[in-house]
Amino acid sequence: MTSEPLAPPPGPPAAPGAVPTATYRLQIQPDFPFAAAETAVPHLAALGVSHLHLSPVLEAVPGSGHGYDVVDHSAVRAELGGEAGLRRLAATARAHGLGIVLDIVPNHMAVPVPERLNRALWSVLRDGPGSPYARWFDIDWEAGAPSAPGARRGRILLPVLGGRLDGELRHFRLEREDGRDAGTGGGYVLRYFDHVFPVRPGTERLPLPELVAAQWYRPAWWRLARTELNYRRFFTISGLIGVRVEDPAVFGATHATVLRLLRDGVVQGLRVDHPDGLADPEGYLRRLRDATGGCWTVVEKILTGGEELPGRWPVAGTTGYDALRRADGLFTDPAGARELDTLHRQFTGVADGLGGAWAATAERAAREVLERELDAEVSALTRAALRVCETAPAPPDHAPWALRTAIRELLLRVPVYRPYTAPGKAVPERDAAMLRRAAEGARAAFAVPEEAGAVDLVRELALGTAGDSPAHREFCARFAQTSSALRAKSAEDTAFYRYTPLLSAAEVGGEPDRPGVSPEEFHAFCARLQRDWPETGTVLSTHDTKRSADVRARIALLSEVPLEWAELVELLTKETARASGAGVPDAHLAWAAWQTAFGLGYGLSGPLPAERLVPAVLKAAREAGLRTTWTEPDGAYEDAVRAFTEAGPCGPPHPAAVAFARALGAHARANILGGALVHLTMPGVPDLYQGTEGEFRALVDPDNRPPHRARPETLAGLDEGRPPQGLPEEKLRLTAAALRLRREHPDWFGRAGSYEPLTAEGPAAEHCVAFGRSGRAVTVVTRLSRLLERSGGWRDTALRLPPGRWRDRLTGAEAEGTVALAEMLDRWPAALLIRV
């Protein structure tokens, strides 16, 4: 039987505010500017998406490959082609029936090098609190003591020096410039290598040490950022300074260009980056909704466990990490994952808190991050709490150490990214209960019960119920902002790299200790999405995923063969050490490195590219922070990591690994195609990351952010009736079929549609996931296919289809009534049926 005929032509141009049927994420960068994106438009229109999804396009640090380091909100980035280039891209997209969804970054701006690239920050550095831009940034002007005799108090710490100031002063140079090219007004500047700082007017004639001490900023050793930083930043990145978009004037200035592009029809929808960093996410999103007229908007909100998106938020939903976890979990065997956990502990020998057990690992990582990387944020909260105490009518007698301890212990017990509270607003019951439970645990950190009273004050401040003074508001906002930074840095960027039994589960939004999701759980999740958030975003791969969906799909297979995998890792590790003499850095590293290699395709062909795998393994070792870190690298250990990775995972594949990979080849195909079809047909708006319409094996950034390369000739050949050759073409065929169906019949999949779970019957029923959409389309996929094979296959397992006659858009086969799965899924491990 043949595939479906030629693709239908694209639909009419996307209307302003229209809900996408599917979006396609393009990483716009200097190596892939607007003009390059234009050339990809015909292919993407033929593929079946309705909107392009562009990474941030406002002026950023020169050479930035991602655009989240904005320096100027008033201009579209010149390196990408400027506003004219963006408008040409929009016109080309419109001509092919496509709209544009834009990624925006309200939470932070860059502290660039040279600093004058950020003119708003430059003004604050020069003029201090008197700058008209001082209201833009969260700066604690009262923090920090003078760093030298005669130094000005209340200065912004700039942790940019390679050493202590006294040893670095010899590298400073005072110069005068007119400022016409930089747009900074001219005057004197201080140069320190590539850094350029403004000089406060009237101080330029002072001797250099006194001149530096007289500025509104304090150049400091970069290591002081951990404890002395006095501006809000993005997570622990001092090169990104927080922006106060809760201020209406700041919101207006930072959103004017994006709003103009929306009004002009250049952009039709928005993706909001990191709303958890904002002082009042709900207030911001309401202001954004009012300013945009209610265009389709999704937020990059990570939901933990059973957490749900606040129902009051005026958005279509999230960017889809919650859907990613459920879709991935379908193809992970819970029992096998538990066995992998045991085998991982036996092989690595790591202690519970260092990767041996998830809960202990996550708790230890959180304490480390809070006591080290986020110490400055805890100090800022302590100062705010002290200001509350000092200005209270009846000052509570809490010692600074008690407040600091209470803050730290309460933060450690917040089980989600953050509470959503604000002074003067009703406290959500979920947040009140959550912080009440956290406070009960936090009191145990105090030996004297009376001193534990600090916990109650901190809880009330975090809830916003203690008062409405500036100090109260500051504490409430900063507590929530710090909570989200703590969760992201300790879980995503530390514990996920320490707890490595099954790397596919250690993904953004994931629950590594509960990686498996049953069909019943998946159906319940989808039913809730269709009911509450039918236009939310869904994803499998993004620019932030640590491994692309196709890499994770291969790794998830290990949950079906845990003992075979453990035996193979032991063999490969020993053979690498014996054959190369390179040695093994440590068993923990080896286990993770071999998983990464298997996901990337180890054993399928020749050696893996060292230029891709070695940096990913090194990054994982540094993020884990067990033997080496970004700030305190162990050179000898990192050399051993490189040598092991190059000799083993990047060396000629071992025969045992080749046999293992071949034995799992068909099952990897089932996971990859099944996961893709589930993603493309479940409730919500699917977002495809660039290149994922075909097989896409990518590791953590920057490996997953290469310039996009469209291959329209492959899709054209399939549309002409050529059978797909191999997995990449099969995935392309499946993706196009599903996307075109969504575009042809948006009502089947959108708000007006419905979701109907279907249940197979027979001995292998648990290996089938099936659901209907609005009684007109049916998705059927195979799950845990290796276990299915071992149990004897489908045998007489069957699926009862809804009434009517159905045709598979992948094969053309027709069926009705009760269909044997062995017959339906004989050629493909997945089926996309439409009623005819």
Side-chain angles (χ1 to χ4, degrees), residues 298-325:
V298 290
V299 289
E300 188 208 21
K301 168 61 192 164
I302 312 300
L303 299 170
T304 301
E307 181 187 11
E308 297 184 12
L309 189 68
R312 301 186 306 273
W313 286 15
V315 296
T318 73
T319 55
Y321 288 114
D322 46 338
L324 181 155
R325 177 163 70 87

Side-chain angles (χ1 to χ4, degrees), residues 321-343:
Y321 288 114
D322 46 338
L324 181 155
R325 177 163 70 87
R326 271 73 175 202
D328 272 12
L330 277 177
F331 302 92
T332 302
D333 178 42
R338 289 191 294 271
E339 187 173 353
L340 273 175
D341 182 67
T342 299
L343 294 167

Side-chain angles (χ1 to χ4, degrees), residues 596-598 600-603 605-613 649-653 697:
T596 305
F598 178 71
L600 197 58
Y602 181 73
S605 57
L608 295 176
E611 68 275 11
R612 295 180 59 200
L613 188 56
C650 296
R697 293 184 228 159

